[in-house]
Amino acid sequence: MGKELELIYQDQWLAAVDKPQGILVHGDGSGARTLTDDLRELLEAQGTDASGLQPVQRLDVDTSGLVLFSLDKMTQPRLDALVAMRGIRKCYVALVEGRFPTGTRDIELPLGRDRHDARRMRASRGGKPSHTRVRLLDTDGHRSLVAVELLTGRRHQIRVHLSQLGFPLVGDVLYGSRSGRATPRSARSRNAGPEPSLMLHAIEEELDHPVTGEHLRLSTAWPARFEEAFPKGEDLWLRRRG
């Protein structure tokens, strides 16, 4: 295991971790090490049985943040049912290009695969219903910090929806970002080093525990790479979430 994995929550049925950028959640056939491998190693070091370990959802390689896992095969179907019934509330923070409008905006554009580029998704009349809720936290006129609630879970949903509205994620070259850097909101230093590519972080999930019924509100720490662009971002997020 490379960088020490941050465990957000663990009981005998579930675990949640803070995924760093640059790692797959589970294998894609390439043999690359995955987040699942890292968590299995951590659990086995604890003496915990990891034979039933399975991710409940996935994040893109360059998206960081909270990923939920089931730890036994009996729990996984209950979690799958929660996902299908939209019983898991998932929130992200993102940095986008442009001045996002004040307030909250619901984006409901059906999404399908791009027939001309297998890497991409696109808005499509024949696509699957997709719903994203976005709220402005702060803006400097050039870029905006937004809170995003994912109401459906399509591939690249946040990235495509925001790009379609003209606010691509900072660092998202695939969907139209003009820059891969989160420059400071004050004087934009020419000597500032490059930021991690995609400015998208899964910060919080809420769900009723599939076994105990306890209401869980799981959160990661505020992502450090957002600090330079919006130093007060964490306070704004905490005020928004209540």
Side-chain angles (χ1 to χ4, degrees):
M1 186 165 59
K3 182 181 177 182
E4 186 175 350
L5 191 62
E6 185 175 354
L7 193 60
I8 302 298
Y9 177 87
Q10 182 185 354
D11 61 23
Q12 67 188 88
W13 303 284
L14 304 177
V17 299
D18 188 354
K19 172 192 171 299
Q21 288 187 298
I23 187 169
L24 293 163
V25 171
H26 53 75
D28 63 352
S30 67
R33 189 169 181 87
T34 69
L35 186 70
T36 304
D37 294 331
D38 284 353
L39 180 56
R40 180 176 291 110
E41 184 177 302
L42 185 152
L43 293 171
E44 289 174 347
Q46 295 176 348
T48 301
D49 179 14
S51 60
L53 181 66
Q54 188 171 339
V56 178
Q57 66 261 125
R58 69 182 67 184
L59 295 178
D60 297 335
V61 172
D62 288 325
T63 302
S64 59
L66 200 149
V67 179
L68 188 65
F69 288 81
S70 64
L71 300 183
D72 69 83
K73 294 179 181 178
M74 298 296 290
T75 306
Q76 183 66 37
R78 300 185 188 186
L79 287 165
D80 290 340
L82 269 180
V83 172
M85 294 185 297
R86 301 182 186 177
I88 300 179
R89 180 174 179 266
K90 191 159 181 121
C91 296
Y92 293 70
V93 288
L95 191 64
V96 300
E97 305 275 8
R99 181 190 289 273
F100 196 83
T102 301
T104 300
R105 177 166 294 195
D106 282 86
I107 309 169
E108 298 183 72
L109 293 171
L111 298 180
R113 292 190 177 275
D114 189 328
R115 292 176 296 173
H116 305 291
D117 188 338
R119 301 171 303 162
R120 293 170 51 99
M121 302 291 286
R122 65 185 183 91
S124 168
R125 289 183 183 178
K128 294 181 179 180
S130 306
H131 188 181
T132 306
R133 182 167 293 150
V134 187
R135 181 174 180 177
L136 177 69
L137 296 177
D138 200 2
T139 184
D140 64 6
H142 301 283
R143 295 194 175 158
S144 301
L145 179 68
V146 295
V148 183
E149 183 177 354
L150 200 58
L151 298 171
T152 54
R154 311 303 178 200
R155 179 173 179 251
H156 295 179
Q157 179 176 316
I158 294 172
R159 298 166 67 182
V160 178
H161 274 179
L162 284 165
S163 180
Q164 283 289 307
L165 259 65
F167 304 99
L169 297 178
V170 171
D172 194 354
V173 178
L174 189 60
Y175 291 106
S177 176
R178 296 184 295 274
S179 169
R181 292 179 53 214
T183 49
R185 63 179 307 181
S186 57
R188 301 179 183 273
S189 170
R190 294 180 181 178
N191 298 320
E195 293 287 336
S197 55
L198 189 66
M199 297 299 285
L200 180 63
H201 180 84
I203 196 165
E204 185 174 88
E205 289 192 24
E206 288 189 66
L207 68 153
D208 291 332
H209 195 292
V211 177
T212 68
E214 177 189 2
H215 185 73
L216 301 178
R217 189 180 195 179
L218 310 176
S219 302
T220 73
W222 184 255
R225 70 186 189 277
F226 283 69
E227 286 289 338
E228 186 182 0
F230 287 93
K232 296 181 180 179
E234 182 176 9
D235 291 340
L236 293 166
W237 158 251
L238 290 173
R239 197 179 308 155
R240 175 258 177 209
R241 71 192 278 269

